[in-house]
Amino acid sequence: DTDGSLSGSPGAYIVKDIPFFKGDQCLSRQDWGMAVCPYRYVKMEILGNDGNIGQDKNDQYPIIMYRDGARSDPFFSEGEIRREYLLRTHQSYLVDFNTTLEDAAFPSMFRVYGYGVETQDVVRVGICLPVNTTSITVKSDYPTVLKNTNYTAVTSMAALDADTTGNAFYHHPEGILFFKIWSLHDRTNDTQQCSDGNCFYIKIEIEGDTENIRSCADITYPAYVDSQPTPTKPTVPSCPPPASPEGLGAVRWDEVPKIVHEDFSVPCVTPPAAPGAGLWEHQGCYVE
């Protein structure tokens, strides 16, 4: 809500009123089924051609997303063509490939894109890998160029969180590959997906038993430390009376001042007869 005309809070995001999207400073609008939040959000897309994200599973729920701090309320949606997820910045998320699908399997290759990401944004993401993964290959074009195995395998989550190069990946001992979504540039307007086409992008390929997938939802690891200042919680905008307490506008029509409509009709003049014609011609005048 860029100008605040909808929520009363300029710059706020309006999201589904569920824990996966919300934070302590969000204002629940139960009458909308939505929440007004003062945080920033970006979009992550996961694309691939096989395993759980193959076309044959587009009508199923191939991925389960968890936000650290709200593990009991995961988010999942049908695969469809584009698997896009709205993520709060300065948070940590876990990607599980759904083990309950028929012929469930980890994709041998998938790509992760980040949209709407700016320089102040960072999102930590963990990918739950199959148990018997034997090798991992990472490639990227932006925000840093990575070819094959030239990424930096840091040895702790703290090192990943502190990294500012974009080269760092952390392979947790329990088999979760962590990375960060971030950007070197800002967008010039809100209609841009990315700054001048510079979208976050990584491509991950694995080797191993891709059918031996599992859930990592019960695995614990260090929490992401959000050092951002606490934003101000939005408030319900007030409406001029008569209005409902929830700020929904007038609720009693008998209290609404009557509106007097002016008569803007334009009288039509009698048109002259067209020369040489036996019928009247009407031009340029309309009567309701």
Side-chain angles (χ1 to χ4, degrees):
D1 186 10
T2 302
D3 61 0
S5 58
L6 180 59
S7 67
S9 299
Y13 284 74
I14 300 174
V15 300
K16 285 187 176 181
D17 193 10
I18 57 176
F20 180 84
F21 295 115
K22 298 194 315 180
D24 293 340
Q25 297 304 107
C26 292
L27 173 68
S28 293
R29 298 300 302 266
Q30 296 181 357
D31 40 346
W32 296 355
M34 307 293 282
V36 181
C37 298
Y39 309 107
R40 273 189 54 77
Y41 292 80
V42 297
K43 187 176 291 185
M44 179 181 72
E45 181 178 26
I46 300 177
L47 294 176
N49 298 316
D50 63 354
N52 270 29
I53 51 178
Q55 292 186 358
D56 61 318
K57 294 180 174 60
N58 279 349
D59 59 344
Q60 301 180 48
Y61 298 88
I63 294 174
I64 303 175
M65 291 286 299
Y66 296 90
R67 180 172 68 84
D68 293 359
R71 288 282 187 94
S72 60
D73 292 280
F75 177 81
F76 47 90
S77 60
E78 285 185 324
E80 300 178 348
I81 297 175
R82 304 178 72 92
R83 298 165 188 89
E84 296 181 338
Y85 302 89
L86 189 69
L87 309 180
R88 251 180 69 192
T89 62
H90 301 281
Q91 295 287 297
S92 180
Y93 292 84
L94 175 67
V95 178
D96 253 8
F97 287 90
N98 192 349
T99 62
T100 66
L101 301 188
E102 184 177 356
D103 299 323
F106 195 91
S108 59
M109 182 279 296
F110 60 95
R111 302 179 300 279
V112 179
Y113 294 88
Y115 304 127
V117 188
E118 301 193 353
T119 54
Q120 75 269 32
D121 301 327
V122 61
V123 180
R124 190 174 76 185
V125 178
I127 305 292
C128 182
L129 301 176
V131 174
N132 298 321
T133 299
T134 56
S135 71
I136 304 170
T137 300
V138 177
K139 299 180 181 180
S140 176
D141 293 328
Y142 183 85
T144 186
V145 177
L146 299 174
K147 300 298 182 184
N148 298 325
T149 58
N150 68 332
Y151 64 90
T152 301
V154 296
T155 58
S156 69
M157 194 76 83
L160 172 67
D161 291 344
D163 175 70
T164 58
T165 67
N167 292 333
F169 288 72
Y170 174 54
H171 193 184
H172 189 275
E174 295 280 0
I176 307 174
L177 181 66
F178 286 93
F179 59 89
K180 293 191 299 186
I181 296 176
W182 63 293
S183 177
L184 290 170
H185 301 89
D186 290 327
R187 299 175 299 162
T188 56
N189 61 71
D190 290 336
T191 63
Q192 288 183 312
Q193 271 194 327
C194 311
S195 173
D196 296 326
N198 294 313
C199 294
F200 175 91
Y201 162 75
I202 61 171
K203 177 182 178 181
I204 298 175
E205 298 179 73
I206 73 160
E207 293 183 4
D209 185 1
T210 58
E211 294 184 359
N212 192 12
I213 64 173
R214 44 56 185 277
S215 171
C216 295
D218 294 330
I219 296 175
T220 59
Y221 46 79
Y224 180 84
V225 179
D226 184 2
S227 59
Q228 299 296 300
T230 302
T232 302
K233 186 173 184 176
T235 57
V236 177
S238 59
C239 290
S244 68
E246 296 82 8
L248 299 180
V251 292
R252 291 188 56 186
W253 286 108
D254 59 345
E255 295 179 354
V256 178
K258 299 297 187 294
I259 299 176
V260 178
H261 294 279
E262 293 186 43
D263 184 6
F264 289 104
S265 61
V266 178
C268 287
V269 298
T270 303
L279 298 174
W280 295 101
E281 288 187 1
H282 297 265
Q283 298 180 350
C285 195
Y286 172 75
V287 178
E288 292 192 25

